[in-house]
Amino acid sequence: MIGEPELDGEWGPAAGQAGPAQEVVASESVPARRRARPWWWVAGAVVVTSALWAGGLYAYGHRLAEPEVHYRVVDDLCAPFAAPVLGELMGGLTETAPQAGGRHPALDWAACSRSRDRANASAGSVDVRAMVELHRKTDPSVEFALDTPSSRWFGPDGEGWESVPGLGEQALVTRDQRGDGLRLRVRDGGAVFTVDVMIFRSLGEDGPDPTVTPLPQPDRDVLVAAVVEDMRALMTALRTG
């Protein structure tokens, strides 16, 4: 059996050249074996450190791996995001403003804004914004449900999120602080879809204008169902495989 290597003393100057500090150590009653850390202690420390490092990589492997992306973005997102269900529910969303967004090896994105006809602006306004983000280098699932400054308008302090089944890998919806609008977010692989619905009602000093078509006030469940259907249509239109 191979035993523990015998150590004659601390690492330091050669025998016969002990300095003052070594003389003090030598005069103590603690054996030299116990004072010196053997070679296998150092090797063990290396093994443990390597194991912890490898375990950390394993735990965060999903963040290091590139997520699967089965969607595309287009410069004119308003084309696939026609929002027919929301448009019919809110009395028309004929004003459009596409935003080509950006293209980058790590992230592609595009957006589209749809709003109510300006002729009915005196009754209030409806603004619907859709955004598509394709995360190609990092998995967006970790940050997906986090509270952010932009989400403070929807669900104060990040509260009030509800799960929506049957839509992507994960879908969340929340109302806005005024109680009329909402935000729907869907994650599917590296793709993140967001639809915001903002409703602003204007009664004027003398109440509603009888000559203007009043702004619809749908039930929240009906509004959520409409947004989900238009979101599903958008995802289907951009799906690549």
Side-chain angles (χ1 to χ4, degrees):
M1 177 182 293
I2 300 177
E4 180 183 329
E6 294 292 338
L7 299 177
D8 294 333
E10 298 278 3
W11 288 357
Q17 299 180 2
Q22 286 179 294
E23 293 176 358
V24 173
V25 172
S27 65
E28 295 179 356
S29 60
V30 180
R33 290 177 64 107
R34 296 178 56 187
R35 293 197 305 270
R37 288 182 173 177
W39 61 271
W40 51 260
W41 184 92
V42 178
V46 173
V47 172
V48 171
T49 303
S50 300
L52 291 175
W53 178 79
L57 287 182
Y58 178 82
Y60 293 96
H62 64 286
R63 285 290 291 167
L64 299 177
E66 296 182 359
E68 294 185 357
V69 178
H70 299 291
Y71 297 88
R72 62 189 175 91
V73 294
V74 293
D75 291 342
D76 185 1
L77 193 63
C78 291
F81 185 65
V85 183
L86 270 173
E88 181 177 358
L89 184 64
M90 301 308 301
L93 298 172
T94 58
E95 302 289 334
T96 62
Q99 186 176 1
R103 305 293 181 270
H104 188 274
L107 176 68
D108 292 341
W109 71 276
C112 166
S113 296
R114 286 186 170 273
S115 58
R116 185 173 163 87
D117 191 337
R118 295 177 183 176
N120 294 320
S122 60
S125 63
V126 179
D127 293 311
V128 177
R129 179 179 174 84
M131 179 178 290
V132 179
E133 305 166 66
L134 303 184
H135 300 258
R136 301 187 181 279
K137 297 298 182 181
T138 57
D139 188 347
S141 61
V142 178
E143 298 90 356
F144 180 72
L146 292 183
D147 183 28
T148 63
S150 65
S151 69
R152 293 288 174 99
W153 177 264
F154 301 91
D157 299 325
E159 298 178 354
W161 290 101
E162 300 175 20
S163 296
V164 179
L167 196 60
E169 293 183 48
Q170 184 180 12
L172 301 172
V173 65
T174 188
R175 59 177 174 80
D176 66 10
Q177 294 186 25
R178 297 168 57 92
D180 289 338
L182 58 83
R183 164 172 284 187
L184 174 64
R185 283 173 58 78
V186 179
R187 178 184 61 82
D188 195 12
V192 175
F193 301 82
T194 304
V195 171
D196 295 336
V197 179
M198 293 168 284
I199 302 174
F200 304 94
R201 304 183 186 280
S202 177
L203 299 179
E205 296 180 358
D206 301 324
D209 187 343
T211 64
V212 176
T213 303
L215 188 64
Q217 189 169 357
D219 178 80
R220 183 178 184 276
D221 291 341
V222 174
L223 181 60
V224 170
V227 177
V228 167
E229 286 304 310
D230 285 339
M231 173 71 85
R232 197 186 308 276
L234 173 62
M235 294 175 66
T236 299
L238 297 179
R239 182 86 182 183
T240 59

